[in-house]
Amino acid sequence: MKIVKLKKDNLFPFLEAIKGDAELWAPVKKDDAKHTFQPVDDFSQIDLDYTRTILPPRKILLPAKFNMYQASKSEFTSDFSHISKKIIFGIHPCDIHAFLTMDKFYSYEIEDPYWLEARKNLVLLGHSCWPDENCMCKSTNTHVVEEGYDLFFTDLEDTYVVWIGSSRGDDLIREKPELFEEDLTDTDIQKFIQRRENRDKAFTTEINFAAMPDLMELKYNDALWEKLGDACLACGSCTNVCPTCNCYNVEDRPVLGKDFSNIQRCWDACTLENYSGVAGGENFREKRADRLKLWYTHKLQSYISKYGKPACVGCGRCVATCPVDINVKTVAQSLDGNEVDSFWDRLSKEVTK
Amino acid sequence: MSKNNDKKLKIGIYELTGCAGDGLLILDCEMELVDIFQAADIQSFLMAKSDNIDGELDIALVEGSVSTEREIEELKDIRKRAQVVVAFGLCATHGGIQARFSEEEWQKNLKEVYGDIEMSHTKAVHSKPIDEYIDVDLYLPGCPVSKDQFLNFLVRALGGSPPEVYPNPVCVTCKYNENDCLLLKGIPCLGPLTADGCGAICPNHNVPCYGCWGPAEGANFTSEFYLLQEKGFDMEAIKKRMANYSGTKLQEFFEKFKKESQ
């Protein structure tokens, strides 16, 4: 691995040089508060002072709705038209880890051509971050990345230390080598180490993820799930904002006046009632508690036995999103035997009073 | 118009009590209007044409709620003539704003507005969704229904398939659009309780969802009720907001809360 240095003033000239005909996606501030990944032409829109975006960057590879293929009575034609060369700049370690998890998921036994093709066309430029009270990535061990990016920018006040993570990343640097410095000084190294230590101390939320598979098993019939089910608004938001959620629905969209249908793939969420509905009007998980149990089994238990780490990458989006406080933080803390201050807990006392 | 009209689906579009916004939406499909009229035999559509025929139909789209005795008769006649009756728009599916009152409140309102005058041509009745009077085969909610929903319904019907329903709450599209959740900001948004299909147009503009597509299937009214109460909203205000577009379909729920609050 090679490390170079980039003065902050040289960042935009560098992005300009490598952009070419690719679409560059970066965090942009929305409504004075939350951030979203957006395609940017004007780099001054980029705002790197963010903790997490509302939706995870998987939306850039697999949009909420896209045509998979067109089907007529006699043939079907694959449609990859939504895929183009893209660069994601400013992605944080947790989201890079999520991409690595999705890579495994989408190539396990059956390959998903839409994910893999989009991935081939993607350049990932990571960026360092600072945790807030909802970041759990230190607990999931996804707060640092060793692979999965082309370049990774660590913010050291007026300079970036840039880690080159792939040969493609190395090629990008060679587009404008004059913008970079090869030699890191002792001061740079000291600053880097100090930053890492300070950041490690800044995490305030610790979750015992190692205990979760056992606790999920032991508390599968715990009253907790009913409490959560009573409060859950079944809005699907936890699922839609999760960087490792991947379920989708496929809809036939016949076109008026034409003899073909667009076969559309759209995000789906196991926390929504209709998700488990089958022909004949039956539903395997009509109860909200059952659906939540499934989601948390995936996030806290089953991926660990299959991939060696939880599906949760600790990004804290579910914490920042659920209006009734059902999220990995409160659920894991509760499974671990803690009293949790949350709407769902207060509601359970309200309803049973 | 093509000559083999006989083979085309015979469709009638009818308007009971409402703002006629759903019928207007069909006319607003300007790019598709020629295709629509070519693909189907539109037998009756008062807003769009004058040569209307009240005969046998494959599909009747009925907009509006039932608010007069004459409308009850008209609706029953449509049911007799049509193979498939579709409740088209919120007033037909849920009763609309005019159905938000209890029978008692409605009686009071009627008297307040019209006094004791005798109506000669028909008699007003408590506004109700059309399935209070006839069997309804399909429901397309919305205030108004969306173009995408209507066109998708039509093109699937032409191919003999049932419509794709919108089974999810507004929050799903709202999140796709990356809106910051209004409930988290303490704004009384009905997104989690309301059927999707509008594209989350209100939250997209920072305006809370008012529930105009009617209640989403499986919506958790109890939780949202307590959530809004915790955020400091008055019970009556929450009830009013929830009742605005849910017509007669939520009365049981409100009865329960009425008992609890006594």
Side-chain angles (χ1 to χ4, degrees), chain A residues 4-5 19 42 54 63 67 97 117 124 126 169 181 187 206 221 226 231 241 272 275 320 327 351:
Chain A
V4 290
K5 240 169 79 173
K19 189 177 176 294
D42 173 7
I54 296 178
N67 282 340
H97 275 280
E117 195 56 31
L124 274 184
E181 291 165 51
T187 323
E206 202 177 318
N221 295 316
E226 290 303 322
V241 302
L272 294 168
Y275 177 87
N327 53 59
V351 170

Side-chain angles (χ1 to χ4, degrees), chain A residues 182-295:
Chain A
E182 292 267 343
D183 299 319
L184 266 73
T185 63
D186 283 348
T187 323
D188 295 331
I189 295 167
Q190 271 315 311
K191 265 192 191 170
F192 184 87
I193 292 171
Q194 193 59 52
R195 186 189 192 281
R196 198 190 59 196
E197 281 177 3
N198 291 345
R199 179 171 174 259
D200 278 355
K201 283 181 208 149
F203 284 93
T204 53
T205 301
E206 202 177 318
I207 305 287
N208 187 3
F209 276 94
M212 287 306 139
D214 288 353
L215 288 172
M216 281 296 298
E217 200 64 48
L218 290 165
K219 299 198 172 179
Y220 198 74
N221 295 316
D222 198 276
L224 166 72
W225 299 108
E226 290 303 322
K227 283 189 198 175
L228 297 172
D230 286 343
C232 177
L233 293 169
C235 67
S237 293
C238 52
T239 318
N240 285 326
V241 302
C242 179
T244 61
C245 271
N246 44 57
C247 289
Y248 60 86
N249 192 7
V250 178
E251 284 175 10
D252 286 17
R253 307 286 295 200
V255 185
L256 187 64
K258 302 274 190 290
D259 59 355
F260 62 83
S261 282
N262 286 320
I263 311 298
Q264 210 171 56
R265 171 162 162 178
C266 23
W267 296 354
D268 205 348
C270 63
T271 40
L272 294 168
E273 180 170 343
N274 187 253
Y275 177 87
S276 305
V278 292
E282 297 301 320
N283 195 317
F284 294 120
R285 283 181 289 269
E286 210 162 5
K287 284 177 67 188
R288 292 184 293 270
D290 290 342
R291 302 202 291 272
L292 288 169
K293 226 185 257 191
L294 175 81
W295 199 75

Side-chain angles (χ1 to χ4, degrees), chain B residues 92-157:
Chain B
T93 57
H94 294 77
I97 304 177
Q98 62 271 31
R100 60 154 295 170
F101 304 102
S102 68
E103 176 84 35
E104 212 173 77
E105 287 167 324
W106 172 80
Q107 286 285 4
K108 201 175 139 254
N109 291 345
L110 185 76
K111 195 158 172 102
E112 205 173 301
V113 175
Y114 290 98
D116 291 323
I117 54 164
E118 278 291 315
M119 287 180 207
S120 56
H121 59 297
T122 185
K123 194 168 162 271
V125 295
H126 182 211
S127 248
K128 281 176 184 169
I130 64 170
D131 64 3
E132 294 275 344
Y133 295 100
I134 59 162
D135 288 336
V136 170
D137 303 292
L138 300 167
Y139 294 84
L140 297 182
C143 185
V145 293
S146 76
K147 270 188 196 179
D148 183 61
Q149 178 195 29
F150 165 68
L151 290 171
N152 198 30
F153 157 76
L154 181 73
V155 69
R156 289 177 71 94

Side-chain angles (χ1 to χ4, degrees), chain A residues 6-8 10-16 18-19 22-28 35-40 42-50 53 57 60 86-92 95-96 99 122-128 149-155 160-162 172 180:
Chain A
L6 178 74
K7 282 212 170 65
K8 278 196 174 169
N10 286 333
L11 177 67
F12 289 175
F14 173 63
L15 294 178
E16 196 62 62
I18 62 163
K19 189 177 176 294
E23 209 172 64
L24 189 133
W25 289 67
V28 171
H35 288 76
T36 63
F37 275 103
Q38 294 299 333
V40 282
D42 173 7
F43 296 151
S44 67
Q45 288 182 304
I46 300 173
D47 184 8
L48 293 164
D49 186 18
Y50 83 104
T53 51
I60 302 164
K86 292 186 178 104
I87 300 170
I88 304 180
F89 174 65
I91 181 171
H92 288 167
D95 283 338
I96 297 176
F99 273 23
L122 182 70
V123 168
L124 274 184
L125 309 180
H127 192 279
S128 58
Y149 57 85
D150 296 298
L151 297 173
F152 191 90
F153 295 71
T154 303
D155 185 337
Y160 289 114
V161 169
V162 183
L172 294 175
F180 294 87

